[in-house]
Amino acid sequence: MASATRLSVRNIHKSFGTHEVLRGISLDAHDGDVISLLGASGSGKSTFLRCINLLEVADRGEIVVDGERIEMVTKNGRNVPASRKQVDRIRAELGMVFQSFNLWSHMTILDNVIEGPLHVLKRPRAECIAEAEALLEKVGIAEKRHAYPAHLSGGQQQRAAIARALAMKPKVMLFDEPTSALDPELVGEVLRVMRSLAEEGMTMLVVTHEMSFARNVSNRVIFMRSGEIDSDGTPEELFGKGGSPAFRQFIGTFGS
Amino acid sequence: MDIPFLFQTMKTLLAAVPMTLALFSLSVLFGGLLALLVVWMRVGGNPVLSRFARGYIFVFRGSPLLIQMFLVFYGLGQFGFIRHSFVWPALREPFVCAVLSLALCTAGYTAEIFRFGLRAVPPREIEAARAIGMSGFLLVRRIIAPIAFRHALPAYSTEIVMMVKSTALASLVTVWEVTGVAQRLISQTYRTMEVFLCAAIIYLVLNFLILQAMALLEHRLSPHRRAAAPLVPGSLPVSR
């Protein structure tokens, strides 16, 4: 039996003004899938990721998270979510990691991590703290739990942001270029955390420029070009002989 | 120098300090609440409310507080519907009029201060909150307001100090606060210099204490803007 479908996206379209950024993207992520989304800047991969948790609202298309379809209605000619409550609930089930971390600067690292479970999920404080400390231990910054984001390196901040997302016990993790804002020497520590998550069976969608991650950690690679899926397959297929000419040219620019 | 006179004057003026503090604290409290309402109308997205809030801010920042106070104190009684309404017993009181006009005026300034605080909230941090499922009041209460308030605090301290000084105007609508009592003493003794000097010292001390408290609050709310705390014994050394 095939494993459960955690995320199913059908025919997503999105335009900014007259510029059509996404031209009908569909994707299914099953339990434990680690999908790398590759593409040149402007290919729509970040917009696509942001459409999944409705930070951007797609003009058309369907999103189903763990069997629950996000209800949309048309209001003043625009496609909008029907229920804010449902959007909040779905977002709570999708962990998002941003390119520039986006930690809450006025809170300590521990407070950043417990914020969601405590105030969104309304769970008991003691439990939230215990779990947050375990997560910070896991991402290797337990000793920084009382520090503020500004006092951490970029790599530490991104690991804290991953812990913050994991604290919500998400069904799918979305990573939006998680290492692009980091100094080269700090990329490895973040990738190691993501790799161990993948090995634990977390379902992950990763927009990235890290070819080694796409190749060695993910079980599926999607290459986007001009708002469409150009190539879709296992890393072996794409990095082997199956990649399209455009994909070959793209990875060529990375010198791999 | 007439030490006994200064001592006596100080004693008389200090007896009026509770009135000054009452004017100040009530108008800051009600003005602050009103400012929240005004800033909510201003940025809430409804064009009609937003225009109303703009107009409110313009009127109360653009006209002299003294004239606003005279309009409330002498002006409102000319309207029959106000004189015959249930609020009239309150509005007849000079103290109520003074608090009302001080609060209305500071609300205009404070709304702008809060609005600038809101604009300083990084959109990325709001987005991160939305991404974990926050919205509406929870988002405002947990993320937007705490960050905005921190940004607004320095300007808000200035506004609060202005309010302490503005309570002096209440003397002109016959509220016996520090300045009013000082003027009464002068009309009895004709010793302008000593009496006003004592009054000025009282305002300076009040504002000194208020500014200290605000600085303390600002310090407590901004550990994230200072360098990392020195290592406490038992903690791990900083990596890198």
Side-chain angles (χ1 to χ4, degrees):
Chain A
M1 200 184 100
S3 54
T5 307
R6 288 282 174 229
L7 176 70
S8 177
V9 182
R10 286 282 154 269
N11 201 26
I12 292 285
H13 286 260
K14 175 74 181 171
S15 299
F16 291 115
T18 55
H19 178 53
E20 196 173 18
V21 185
L22 299 175
R23 310 167 187 232
I25 306 277
S26 299
L27 173 155
D28 282 314
H30 301 283
D31 204 15
D33 270 354
V34 177
I35 303 175
S36 288
L37 290 161
L38 307 180
S41 64
S43 60
K45 54 199 192 309
S46 281
T47 305
F48 172 60
L49 204 69
R50 292 166 58 81
C51 280
I52 294 174
N53 68 354
L54 287 106
L55 288 178
E56 306 285 353
V57 180
D59 303 327
R60 261 191 295 154
E62 184 183 73
I63 297 161
V64 182
V65 178
D66 208 29
E68 184 180 356
R69 184 176 177 278
I70 303 180
E71 303 297 332
M72 305 297 286
V73 289
T74 306
K75 214 180 206 172
N76 303 327
R78 287 180 56 201
N79 196 37
V80 292
S83 151
R84 199 188 76 185
K85 273 199 152 153
Q86 190 196 25
V87 171
D88 287 347
R89 192 174 61 242
I90 297 271
R91 280 175 176 164
E93 293 173 359
L94 297 168
M96 179 89 168
V97 175
F98 299 88
Q99 180 175 350
S100 37
F101 333 131
N102 303 11
L103 293 167
W104 298 301
S105 53
H106 63 297
M107 295 184 190
T108 64
I109 296 305
L110 183 66
D111 286 339
N112 264 276
V113 178
I114 64 172
E115 183 68 19
L118 190 60
H119 294 284
V120 177
L121 304 179
K122 308 209 185 313
R123 296 179 44 218
R125 177 176 279 270
E127 265 177 42
C128 296
I129 291 177
E131 283 180 18
E133 287 185 334
L135 283 170
L136 289 172
E137 188 76 48
K138 180 171 157 177
V139 300
I141 49 169
E143 82 281 5
K144 295 286 185 192
R145 62 184 177 280
H146 296 307
Y148 287 86
H151 302 148
L152 268 58
S153 73
Q156 291 169 333
Q157 287 189 54
Q158 193 59 298
R159 286 184 281 153
I162 293 172
R164 173 176 70 177
L166 290 174
M168 297 295 286
K169 303 200 166 110
K171 290 170 175 160
V172 180
M173 285 283 284
L174 309 172
F175 293 84
D176 187 6
E177 304 202 27
T179 57
S180 298
L182 297 176
D183 291 338
E185 77 269 22
L186 303 177
V187 169
E189 60 191 62
V190 172
L191 289 181
R192 270 195 295 282
V193 168
M194 290 169 61
R195 186 181 193 126
S196 72
L197 272 183
E199 283 163 0
E200 286 166 25
M202 174 63 78
T203 311
M204 295 161 59
L205 245 65
V206 186
V207 170
T208 186
H209 291 293
E210 289 298 324
M211 289 306 139
S212 65
F213 181 89
R215 206 166 180 159
N216 303 322
V217 182
S218 51
N219 65 345
R220 188 168 157 203
V221 174
I222 289 175
F223 174 59
M224 284 180 63
R225 199 162 70 104
S226 327
E228 288 173 327
I229 293 181
D230 176 273
S231 318
D232 179 355
T234 65
E236 294 75 27
E237 285 165 6
L238 260 67
F239 287 94
K241 291 193 167 56
S244 69
F247 180 69
R248 310 220 137 268
Q249 197 190 355
F250 173 72
I251 57 170
T253 61
F254 287 85
S256 54
Chain B
M1 223 171 24
D2 189 347
I3 299 291
F5 176 73
L6 286 177
F7 184 76
Q8 194 52 46
T9 303
M10 213 35 148
K11 223 174 118 184
T12 314
L13 292 181
L14 281 175
V17 165
M19 179 55 89
T20 291
L21 286 179
L23 284 168
F24 163 74
S25 48
L26 287 175
S27 54
V28 165
L29 173 69
F30 289 119
L33 293 174
L34 189 57
L36 289 177
L37 183 69
V38 173
V39 81
W40 173 75
M41 295 198 296
R42 178 75 176 79
V43 303
N46 181 319
V48 178
L49 291 180
S50 174
R51 196 147 313 157
F52 176 81
R54 264 173 206 256
Y56 179 93
I57 291 166
F58 174 70
V59 167
F60 283 95
R61 285 203 310 175
S63 60
L65 172 56
L66 182 59
I67 291 180
Q68 294 167 20
M69 205 177 271
F70 282 161
L71 282 173
V72 169
F73 185 61
Y74 297 111
L76 287 184
Q78 298 186 0
F79 298 100
F81 68 91
I82 290 177
R83 232 177 19 248
H84 299 301
S85 77
F86 69 97
V87 292
W88 183 240
L91 280 179
R92 255 174 27 191
E93 293 297 323
F95 177 76
V96 175
C97 288
V99 168
L100 181 64
S101 43
L102 285 167
L104 287 172
C105 180
T106 189
Y109 285 93
T110 308
E112 279 299 269
I113 290 169
F114 286 171
R115 190 169 68 89
F116 284 119
L118 284 177
R119 287 215 316 212
V121 180
R124 286 169 172 173
E125 295 185 29
I126 297 176
E127 196 161 74
R130 289 195 189 285
I132 62 162
M134 280 193 185
S135 64
F137 184 64
L138 182 67
L139 176 62
V140 172
R141 180 171 68 84
R142 291 297 311 166
I143 306 294
I144 297 176
I147 299 174
F149 185 69
R150 283 165 169 82
H151 282 289
L153 205 49
Y156 188 57
S157 321
T158 308
E159 174 60 17
I160 281 188
V161 166
M162 294 293 291
M163 283 306 288
V164 173
K165 298 191 289 180
S166 298
T167 57
L169 292 177
S171 63
L172 297 171
V173 292
T174 70
V175 177
W176 295 110
E177 44 63 72
V178 172
T179 304
V181 171
Q183 275 174 323
R184 189 170 59 187
L185 276 180
I186 290 165
S187 66
Q188 290 161 0
T189 62
Y190 300 103
R191 296 170 80 159
T192 315
M193 186 69 183
E194 286 115 314
V195 177
F196 273 153
L197 212 57
C198 287
I201 288 168
I202 288 175
Y203 284 107
L204 280 172
V205 170
L206 284 181
N207 275 333
F208 176 77
L209 294 175
I210 288 167
L211 281 172
Q212 289 298 110
M214 295 301 279
L216 185 68
L217 181 65
E218 212 177 314
H219 185 82
R220 293 280 289 275
L221 289 179
S222 63
H224 58 291
R225 291 197 203 141
R226 292 191 289 276
L231 286 174
V232 287
S235 71
L236 293 166
V238 185
S239 57
R240 68 189 294 250

